Amino acid sequence: MNLSGVLFFPVTPFGADGALAEEVLAEHIRQGMEHGPGGVFVACGTGEFSALSEAEHARSVQVAADVVAGRVPVFAGAGGPIGTALNQARAAREAGADGLLLMPPYLAQGPGHGFAAYVAAVAAILPVIVYQRGAVVLEPEAVVELAGLPGVIGLKDGLGDIDRMQRTVLAVREVYPDFLFFNGLPTAELTMPAYRGIGVELYSSAVFAFAPEIALAYLKGDERLLTEFYAPLVRLRGKVPGYPVSLVKAGVRLRGLDVGTVRPPLVEVTGEHLEELEALIKTGLELAGS
């Protein structure tokens, strides 16, 4: 599957009544598509995956597939209890999605072969990128095993253990050279120099959701953005749990699209932090020449 460039993870908009705002989601994705992302990952972490009902998840994926209309791959988040993950996978397939980003299952943990069975069941419906984060911490040999399962096409790393990832990349590519690896850390641009050093070029860009001009300027090699935009953004992100999502949604609102608030247990960005974010966006856009 051809995935390249910046990967777009849209937020999930909610209206004043708290319901899914489908038209706003469509506009959000239309605006992002104008900047040429390499793929659209809807209803994933930035899209408040864990806060969506199955019906909201299905509608979000359908909206994304309709707007993208086959121009780039569309992936949907899936995960949680096996029944829920399978329902999400089937709904995504019916909507025309190209694949799934498989989140870690909640609470229940089993041995490695149990997790492999979980992955295999979902990958039988649509191609799967496994998300390594939280309780899912995989040894290189386990990733080689997963890469051999039908339908498993990639691994997204949300741990940031470069030593583990280097060993994993080497082990997997020796057997499956086309297997995909992604940097899935929050504000991934800051760590991309390290990931590129071990052969991982793909990454999820939360910044693309609210400032695609900045994300694309960084992709073209403007290293000033690391010190003057991304590093301060990471410091701001670390001030409150949940800010990796809340800040992105606030950023989209600051750029003129009312995508509503986040759902609990996430919290809204404080007024002071919102001012910091607005100033950072201004700096980033100036550096990007926008």
Side-chain angles (χ1 to χ4, degrees), residues 232-244 247 272-273 276:
L233 181 63
V234 168
R235 287 194 292 272
L236 178 58
R237 186 196 73 205
K239 291 184 178 180
V240 177
Y243 263 19
L247 283 172
E272 177 186 356
H273 294 161
E276 287 185 48

Side-chain angles (χ1 to χ4, degrees), residues 51-82:
L52 301 178
S53 69
E54 286 188 23
E56 290 172 329
H57 176 277
R59 286 303 306 157
S60 297
V61 180
Q62 187 66 68
V63 168
D66 289 346
V67 172
V68 173
R71 289 174 286 174
V72 297
V74 172
F75 278 72
I82 185 65

Side-chain angles (χ1 to χ4, degrees), residues 195-207:
Y195 276 83
R196 288 194 181 106
I198 62 171
V200 177
E201 294 289 338
L202 293 169
Y203 65 97
S204 54
S205 176
V207 170

